[in-house]
Amino acid sequence: RAGACRRWRFQGTEEEDAGAVAMDASALRETFRRDGIVVLDGVLSGSALESFREQVSRELTKPCIPPESGTPEGVRLSSPETWPRGSQRRVIEVVPPGVGEHWGALAESPKLTHALDALLGADAWELPNNQPHGGPCAIRHWYCPVVFPEMSERGNPPSSAASLASGNWRRGDVGKGAPPWSPEEDEVLYASRAKDWPWERVAAAVAAKCGHARTPKQCRERHQPPWTAKDDAALLELCAKHKDGAWQQITNQMQPSRACTKRQVRERAAELAVSARGDVSETRREKTDEDEDDTETKKTTSHWVPVNRRRVRGKGWHVDIGPGFDTDAARHVRGDPCQGCVALVLLSDWREAGGGTAYVAGSHQWVGSFLQSRAPQGVRHQELNAWAIDTVTEAAKTGRLPLRYRVDETEATRSIHPTIDANKKTRLGVVDQIVGAAGSVALLHPWLVHSGTTNLSCDPRLMANGMVRVKREAFERDGGVAVLRDLPRWNAFAETETKTETTGRAENAVPAPFAALDKKRKQNADAKTNGAVDDDDETETEKEKDVSLSDTERTKWRFSVSFEDALLSARAAAGKAAAARRAAMDEEANADSFFSIRAKDAPLVSVVVPAHDAARWLDECFASVVAQTYPFSRLEVSAYDDASSDDTETIMRAWAVVFSELGVGVAVSGSRWSAANANASANVKPGGIGHGKNVAVRQSRGEVLVFLDADDIMTPRRVETQVCVLLENKHAIVGGSWARYPAGSTEHYERWANTLSDPAGLWLEQFRETTVQMPTWCMLRSVYDAVGGFDEVPPDRGEGEDLVFFHKHIDAFCDAHGDAPLAVDAGKKEPGEAGDEGGGFPATRPLPLRRAGAAGAAPLLLYRWSPDSGTSRVSRQRLLEIRVNAFTRRVLSKPAWRFFAVWGAGRDAKAFANALDASARRRVVAMLDVDRNKCGRAYANHRWREEDTNERFEIPVTHFEDHAAAERARRATEKDAFRATPVVVCVAKRRKGAGEAGDLERNVETLGLEEGNTLWYFM
C-alpha cells in the first residue's frame, strides 16, 4: 500500500505481466469493491508517455478543441514565467484530439486491458477517444487538467493562513510580487485617505510622493486602520454565522461599520482564530517546513488541501458524471453505460509532497446506500453532487473525516472504513491523495467521491481524465454496470423509522453518519414531541430551516403515494392556505386596490406552473395559490408535468380536484400521463424549461399570465398587486419583489434585484441580468404572443430560455414603440418633456419593464434556491452570448456606436470582446483600464485575424484618464461636430443597491457620457 491506495505493479515482460493480472484478478476486484480505487503502475512509458505530454503542451499553448473553462493566453509548460500566479486560478483544462500513438498505446495496454476485464468483464467495456479534429467537441471523452504550482515564484513555498495571521503577508502586494511598502508610502496613504480622496487619487499621491507606482487596488488593500473591539466582535459573530467560509458575504455585512476588503477580513479572522486558541503551532510548523530540505516530505505533505478549480477549499468534492450523460437525468443503483469506471492517467510524477487528486476510500458505498434509499426513481446528478459536498464537508468539520497527514500511518490504514477514535467519535474514513509515477493509471469507482487538491510541488501536475464506458449489450445482459453489484453494506448506515403526517407509513430516515446534517430538523421534531411546538402552527421560519435540508438529506417522498393520500394532503394544505387568505383579506379590507381588483371586469388570471420532478414542493406551491386574495372566480391554475419520474402526476391530479372544489379554474396535463405502461412512459424525455412553460400557457385561458415555478411560494397579495400594476403598464413584463427561500442563499443578487429603481434601473441595467426575475413575471397574453413564447431546448443543452425571452420582449417593445424616450439618464428629463416623472422616464410613454412591490416591504414571492436549479445548468459562456447578441442588436446598430470603447481589460472585458462578432470587434477603439501597469499594451486572441490580410488583430489598452484627455482635446478641435466615443463598461458593479455608487461609477462619470445612450453597464 501507498497510503490507502492498493497499487498493482508489473515488472516482467508483457506476457508475464498479463499473467500476473490474471492471477491477481480476484484480489483486484475485491480491493476495488472495498476501497473504490486501485492504481496500476507503469501502464504507459517511453515514447507513448512522451507523446501524450507533448500533445498536452501543444494544446495548452494553442488549443484545437475549445476547452470548457476558457482558452489560456500565452501559457507554456516550458516557461515558468508564463504560469498562473497570484490570485489567478491554477487549473487550466485542455481537450486533446484523439490522435497520436499514445491513445492507441493506452487502449491496447495489456496491463490496463486485463485490469478492466477483471472489473467490468471481458469484452464488456470500451475506451473511446475524443474527436480527431479541432473545433467544438460534442462529447468530451477525455480532458487534461494542468494544475500549476501554488507558489508565486518557482521554488518558493506559498504562504498559509497561519503565515497571514503572523504578519508574513504584505497587504497591498495583492499577489503581484510588488515591493514592500515603505514608511513614507504608508504616511502618504493614510494622510490622503483621511481627506476622503478616491482611491485613484490616493494611488496618484503615493506615486507622486514616493516614486513607486501603486494601483488603487493595492492602496485599498494596504489601508487598514486598527481593528476595534467592536469590529472584532462583529467579525467573530459573522464568522460563526457563515461557517462555510462565505467571505464575500461576511465582508459585505462588515461594510456599514467598517470599510474593508475580503482579503483584510480573512486575514483578521485568521489572526483572531490563532489568538483564541493561544496556539501558534500552525505558524511554527509553516516555518519549520520552509527550513526543511525538499526531500523531507513528511511535513510538507501536510499542506495540501482539497480545492475546486477556483481554489476554494473544501468545495471540489464530486462524483464524476461520465461523458454524454444528461446532467438533468437521474442516477440509479444499476448505473449507466456512460459510467463504467473513472480512468486517471498520470502524465507527470505525483509525489506525496506535492498533492494529488484527493479521495475518500469507501465513499462509493455511501453513494450506493444513498441511491438505494432513493430507488427506484434515482437521484439527479446535480443533487447527488450537492449531497456529496454536504456530506464530506460536514464530516470534515466535525472531525470525522480528517486529512491523512493529520493521523499516523497505522491509524490512517485502519481508518479506511468507519472506526471509533480515541474521542469515541465515529470516523467515516480518511481523506487521502493519489500519488504515483508518470505512466500510472488510477481506476476509480464511478461513485467514488473525490476532489482536486493544491499543487505544492515546483512543477505542473499533468493528467488525463476519462471514463471507461460499458458496452450497451453488456449493460443489458448484466442488468447494469458490473462493478456496482454486491457492494458491501455500509455498516454506519443504521436506519431509523419516522412517520409521515398524512399516511402514517414508515420511512427510512437520514442515514446515521449524516445525522448532523439534519440536526435542526431533529430539534424541531423533539420540540414537537415535548409539546413545545404545535404541528398545525408551524412557523414560516421553521419551514424555512427544514426546506434548506430537503434537497440533499430528506427522503420525504417515497414515490408511490396513492391518490387518496395525495388528496388528503392537498386538502389539509389548502385548509391552512385558506386561513392565511382570510387573514390577508382582513388586513387589507380598507385598501383601494382590494376593492378595485374585485370588480366584475377583473381580468381572468392564469397561474402558469411548469413542473419536472417537483413532487416534494407542489403542496406548498399550490397552497400559495389558494392563499391569494384575488377572486377565485377570476383565477385559473394551468400546470404541466414535463416527464416527471416522481409523484408529480398524482399530486397534480389531487390538486385539480381541490381547485375545482374551491371554484378555481384548473387545467393540468403531463407528457407521460397517456403512456400505456412504465416502459413507454420512460421513453418520453423531458422537453425542457421552455417547453413546459409554453404547453402550460397554451392550455390556459387567462388574459393575464402569472408565472410560478413549482418549487416557489407566492405570498397572499402577489397576484392582486401585480395585476394592479399591469393594468397601468399593459406593454410591460411586470416583475415583483422577492426573497430567497431559504433566506440568505444568494444575498447579493437578492439585494441588487430588489433595490433597482423602477423603471429607470430596470431599463438601464438590462444587459447585466434579467432585471425582473422570471419566477415573478406577470404579463398580458398579448405580450407573450408578441415574443412568440419561450425557446424550446432539451435540458441537456443548458439554454437560458428566460434570458432569451427577456431580450426578445425588449426587442419587440422597441420595434413597436421605439426606445428614444427611454435613453434618458436616471434623474434627468428628456429634452422637450415637462414634468418628467418616474426616475427619468416620461410618465405618458409605455414602458417595457416594471416591478410591483416595494423594497423593504413584504415580498410577493419566496424564490427557492437549490444547487440543481435549471439556471445553474446554463454555462456562463452561453449567458454571455445571449447578452452580447442583444447588445449588438439594440445598441451597436445605432449610428452613435459606429466606434466605441470597452471599459476594462480584465477577464470580463476580454470575454465580452471575444463574444463580439468580427465586424463589431473591429469597431472597438480601445480597452480602458485604471491600472497603468496594464496600459500601453494590446489585447489579442489567437483566433482574431483580419479577413483580407490574415494578420493578427489587436485592441490597444489605454488608461481611462488618457482616454478622457484625448476626448477633451478632440472636443476642443471638432467643436460642434464633436461626438463622444461611447463606452460599454465590462467591469462588475458588484450588484450594489440603488444609490450605492463605488469607485468604478465615479471613474466612469469623468467621461461625461449619458447612461442609456452613450454609456451602458454590461457586467
Side-chain angles (χ1 to χ4, degrees), residues 38-39 273 307 311 320 325 405 417 527 600 643 843 873:
V38 294
V39 177
V307 294
R311 302 167 71 200
D320 275 0
F325 189 79
Y405 55 75
H417 300 293
K600 60 182 180 180
R873 295 192 295 271

Side-chain angles (χ1 to χ4, degrees), residues 961-979:
E961 291 178 343
D962 297 339
H963 174 78
E967 288 286 282
R968 288 193 296 271
R970 193 162 63 85
R971 180 191 294 272
T973 302
E974 298 179 7
K975 301 187 184 306
D976 293 342
F978 172 77
R979 296 292 182 270

Side-chain angles (χ1 to χ4, degrees), residues 914-936:
N914 284 313
L916 291 171
D917 61 46
S919 61
R921 192 182 303 122
R922 282 192 289 272
R923 293 154 53 189
V924 180
V925 297
M927 301 178 79
L928 311 180
D929 205 87
V930 298
D931 186 355
R932 290 199 176 273
N933 292 329
K934 294 181 182 178
C935 300

Side-chain angles (χ1 to χ4, degrees), residues 309-332:
R309 297 175 184 177
R310 297 188 178 277
R311 302 167 71 200
V312 179
R313 297 189 176 199
K315 296 294 185 181
W317 295 105
H318 65 281
V319 177
D320 275 0
I321 185 171
F325 189 79
D326 185 351
T327 57
D328 197 40
R331 298 190 69 161
H332 299 273

Side-chain angles (χ1 to χ4, degrees), residues 942-953:
H942 69 275
R943 300 176 185 173
W944 298 357
R945 297 287 175 180
E946 295 286 3
E947 293 180 357
D948 48 354
T949 63
N950 199 34
E951 293 181 357
R952 189 176 183 181
F953 174 73

